[in-house]
Amino acid sequence: QKVRLMGKDLKKDKNKISVSLHGAMEYELECKYESDTSWEITIPARAACGVYDVYVTANGERRVFRLGL
């Protein structure tokens, strides 16, 4: 499944972005630059069904979206 991470000033050369899911299982997700306001995130087909906290790290800062997916 492909989803989009949207935000401001997400420049490829300025930000190292990582996204992970934390719940019954944990997954590091593939992140692909699209534009300065959008990154494509791939959720693997093998991901177990359930509710996950989403951890987003950009430019050295982490944000946690509780029950985000």
Side-chain angles (χ1 to χ4, degrees):
Q1 178 71 36
K2 306 275 188 201
V3 296
R4 301 271 173 316
L5 173 66
M6 309 291 289
K8 292 188 229 175
D9 201 26
L10 298 175
K11 294 178 179 154
K12 184 178 184 179
D13 59 344
K14 183 178 173 184
N15 291 286
K16 177 167 174 53
I17 291 179
S18 66
V19 178
S20 57
L21 301 178
H22 297 257
M25 302 289 290
E26 293 185 7
Y27 302 95
E28 291 293 326
L29 305 182
E30 178 183 336
C31 303
K32 181 180 174 186
Y33 175 83
E34 290 187 317
S35 73
D36 289 351
T37 59
S38 176
W39 284 67
E40 181 183 84
I41 311 298
T42 302
I43 301 170
R46 72 182 193 295
C49 292
V51 178
Y52 293 89
D53 294 337
V54 180
Y55 288 53
V56 178
T57 304
N59 202 21
E61 295 183 35
R62 176 177 281 172
R63 299 289 185 259
V64 177
F65 299 91
R66 301 273 179 223
L67 308 176
L69 182 69

